[in-house]
mmCIF file of all heavy atoms in Angstrom:
data_model
loop_
_atom_site.group_PDB
_atom_site.id
_atom_site.type_symbol
_atom_site.label_atom_id
_atom_site.label_comp_id
_atom_site.label_asym_id
_atom_site.label_seq_id
_atom_site.Cartn_x
_atom_site.Cartn_y
_atom_site.Cartn_z
ATOM 1 N N MET A 108 11.731 -21.369 11.027
ATOM 2 C CA MET A 108 11.181 -20.013 11.080
ATOM 3 C C MET A 108 11.075 -19.397 9.682
ATOM 4 O O MET A 108 10.089 -18.720 9.375
ATOM 5 C CB MET A 108 12.032 -19.112 11.979
ATOM 6 C CG MET A 108 11.831 -19.352 13.461
ATOM 7 S SD MET A 108 10.125 -19.171 14.018
ATOM 8 C CE MET A 108 9.893 -17.417 13.874
ATOM 9 N N ASN A 109 12.057 -19.655 8.840
ATOM 10 C CA ASN A 109 11.972 -19.149 7.460
ATOM 11 C C ASN A 109 10.781 -19.751 6.727
ATOM 12 O O ASN A 109 10.084 -19.057 5.986
ATOM 13 C CB ASN A 109 13.272 -19.428 6.706
ATOM 14 C CG ASN A 109 14.390 -18.494 7.095
ATOM 15 O OD1 ASN A 109 14.158 -17.443 7.688
ATOM 16 N ND2 ASN A 109 15.618 -18.876 6.779
ATOM 17 N N ALA A 110 10.560 -21.039 6.927
ATOM 18 C CA ALA A 110 9.409 -21.697 6.292
ATOM 19 C C ALA A 110 8.100 -21.113 6.823
ATOM 20 O O ALA A 110 7.156 -20.870 6.049
ATOM 21 C CB ALA A 110 9.465 -23.194 6.531
ATOM 22 N N LEU A 111 8.038 -20.873 8.125
ATOM 23 C CA LEU A 111 6.825 -20.295 8.713
ATOM 24 C C LEU A 111 6.582 -18.872 8.198
ATOM 25 O O LEU A 111 5.445 -18.493 7.904
ATOM 26 C CB LEU A 111 6.928 -20.278 10.239
ATOM 27 C CG LEU A 111 6.935 -21.635 10.932
ATOM 28 C CD1 LEU A 111 7.139 -21.471 12.428
ATOM 29 C CD2 LEU A 111 5.661 -22.402 10.643
ATOM 30 N N ARG A 112 7.642 -18.093 8.086
ATOM 31 C CA ARG A 112 7.510 -16.723 7.594
ATOM 32 C C ARG A 112 7.034 -16.712 6.141
ATOM 33 O O ARG A 112 6.195 -15.889 5.760
ATOM 34 C CB ARG A 112 8.828 -15.968 7.736
ATOM 35 C CG ARG A 112 9.203 -15.658 9.186
ATOM 36 C CD ARG A 112 10.582 -15.049 9.321
ATOM 37 N NE ARG A 112 10.712 -13.780 8.621
ATOM 38 C CZ ARG A 112 10.376 -12.597 9.120
ATOM 39 N NH1 ARG A 112 9.888 -12.523 10.339
ATOM 40 N NH2 ARG A 112 10.542 -11.494 8.421
ATOM 41 N N GLU A 113 7.556 -17.615 5.336
ATOM 42 C CA GLU A 113 7.114 -17.693 3.933
ATOM 43 C C GLU A 113 5.634 -18.063 3.844
ATOM 44 O O GLU A 113 4.883 -17.495 3.045
ATOM 45 C CB GLU A 113 7.952 -18.712 3.161
ATOM 46 C CG GLU A 113 9.316 -18.224 2.788
ATOM 47 C CD GLU A 113 9.271 -17.045 1.830
ATOM 48 O OE1 GLU A 113 8.437 -17.036 0.900
ATOM 49 O OE2 GLU A 113 10.060 -16.109 2.030
ATOM 50 N N ALA A 114 5.212 -19.030 4.666
ATOM 51 C CA ALA A 114 3.804 -19.424 4.675
ATOM 52 C C ALA A 114 2.923 -18.263 5.119
ATOM 53 O O ALA A 114 1.862 -18.014 4.528
ATOM 54 C CB ALA A 114 3.610 -20.629 5.587
ATOM 55 N N ALA A 115 3.359 -17.535 6.143
ATOM 56 C CA ALA A 115 2.588 -16.387 6.624
ATOM 57 C C ALA A 115 2.524 -15.294 5.563
ATOM 58 O O ALA A 115 1.483 -14.644 5.389
ATOM 59 C CB ALA A 115 3.207 -15.847 7.916
ATOM 60 N N MET A 116 3.620 -15.084 4.835
ATOM 61 C CA MET A 116 3.614 -14.073 3.768
ATOM 62 C C MET A 116 2.598 -14.427 2.689
ATOM 63 O O MET A 116 1.893 -13.549 2.178
ATOM 64 C CB MET A 116 5.011 -13.939 3.151
ATOM 65 C CG MET A 116 5.984 -13.165 4.009
ATOM 66 S SD MET A 116 7.615 -13.060 3.292
ATOM 67 C CE MET A 116 7.325 -11.819 2.041
ATOM 68 N N GLU A 117 2.523 -15.700 2.332
ATOM 69 C CA GLU A 117 1.545 -16.137 1.326
ATOM 70 C C GLU A 117 0.121 -15.885 1.799
ATOM 71 O O GLU A 117 -0.717 -15.395 1.041
ATOM 72 C CB GLU A 117 1.731 -17.628 1.014
ATOM 73 C CG GLU A 117 2.923 -17.924 0.146
ATOM 74 C CD GLU A 117 2.758 -17.365 -1.251
ATOM 75 O OE1 GLU A 117 1.664 -17.471 -1.835
ATOM 76 O OE2 GLU A 117 3.739 -16.801 -1.758
ATOM 77 N N ILE A 118 -0.151 -16.228 3.053
ATOM 78 C CA ILE A 118 -1.509 -16.050 3.600
ATOM 79 C C ILE A 118 -1.868 -14.580 3.615
ATOM 80 O O ILE A 118 -2.961 -14.183 3.196
ATOM 81 C CB ILE A 118 -1.599 -16.683 4.996
ATOM 82 C CG1 ILE A 118 -1.482 -18.202 4.894
ATOM 83 C CG2 ILE A 118 -2.900 -16.285 5.674
ATOM 84 C CD1 ILE A 118 -1.311 -18.897 6.222
ATOM 85 N N VAL A 119 -0.973 -13.731 4.131
ATOM 86 C CA VAL A 119 -1.255 -12.299 4.210
ATOM 87 C C VAL A 119 -1.451 -11.713 2.813
ATOM 88 O O VAL A 119 -2.354 -10.908 2.595
ATOM 89 C CB VAL A 119 -0.127 -11.558 4.970
ATOM 90 C CG1 VAL A 119 -0.302 -10.052 4.868
ATOM 91 C CG2 VAL A 119 -0.111 -11.987 6.423
ATOM 92 N N SER A 120 -0.629 -12.136 1.880
ATOM 93 C CA SER A 120 -0.765 -11.624 0.517
ATOM 94 C C SER A 120 -2.115 -11.963 -0.079
ATOM 95 O O SER A 120 -2.762 -11.110 -0.694
ATOM 96 C CB SER A 120 0.345 -12.189 -0.370
ATOM 97 O OG SER A 120 1.603 -11.700 0.036
ATOM 98 N N LYS A 121 -2.563 -13.180 0.120
ATOM 99 C CA LYS A 121 -3.844 -13.597 -0.459
ATOM 100 C C LYS A 121 -5.027 -12.969 0.272
ATOM 101 O O LYS A 121 -6.016 -12.596 -0.355
ATOM 102 C CB LYS A 121 -3.968 -15.111 -0.417
ATOM 103 C CG LYS A 121 -3.085 -15.783 -1.437
ATOM 104 C CD LYS A 121 -3.217 -17.286 -1.412
ATOM 105 C CE LYS A 121 -2.253 -17.884 -2.433
ATOM 106 N NZ LYS A 121 -2.208 -19.326 -2.366
ATOM 107 N N GLU A 122 -4.923 -12.832 1.586
ATOM 108 C CA GLU A 122 -6.045 -12.341 2.378
ATOM 109 C C GLU A 122 -6.166 -10.810 2.340
ATOM 110 O O GLU A 122 -7.266 -10.278 2.237
ATOM 111 C CB GLU A 122 -5.917 -12.788 3.838
ATOM 112 C CG GLU A 122 -6.042 -14.275 4.037
ATOM 113 C CD GLU A 122 -7.436 -14.787 3.737
ATOM 114 O OE1 GLU A 122 -8.406 -14.104 4.091
ATOM 115 O OE2 GLU A 122 -7.539 -15.868 3.147
ATOM 116 N N ASN A 123 -5.058 -10.117 2.500
ATOM 117 C CA ASN A 123 -5.103 -8.653 2.665
ATOM 118 C C ASN A 123 -4.810 -7.867 1.409
ATOM 119 O O ASN A 123 -5.445 -6.868 1.144
ATOM 120 C CB ASN A 123 -4.098 -8.214 3.742
ATOM 121 C CG ASN A 123 -4.731 -8.032 5.078
ATOM 122 O OD1 ASN A 123 -5.867 -8.419 5.289
ATOM 123 N ND2 ASN A 123 -4.010 -7.453 6.007
ATOM 124 N N LEU A 124 -3.831 -8.287 0.668
ATOM 125 C CA LEU A 124 -3.333 -7.433 -0.399
ATOM 126 C C LEU A 124 -4.069 -7.577 -1.712
ATOM 127 O O LEU A 124 -4.205 -6.612 -2.460
ATOM 128 C CB LEU A 124 -1.836 -7.721 -0.636
ATOM 129 C CG LEU A 124 -0.939 -7.524 0.582
ATOM 130 C CD1 LEU A 124 0.496 -7.787 0.210
ATOM 131 C CD2 LEU A 124 -1.097 -6.129 1.144
#
Side-chain angles (χ1 to χ4, degrees):
M108 284 303 290
N109 284 343
L111 293 176
R112 290 174 61 85
E113 283 296 319
M116 284 178 76
E117 284 293 318
I118 292 170
V119 171
S120 294
K121 287 181 182 173
E122 294 293 320
N123 263 11
L124 302 182

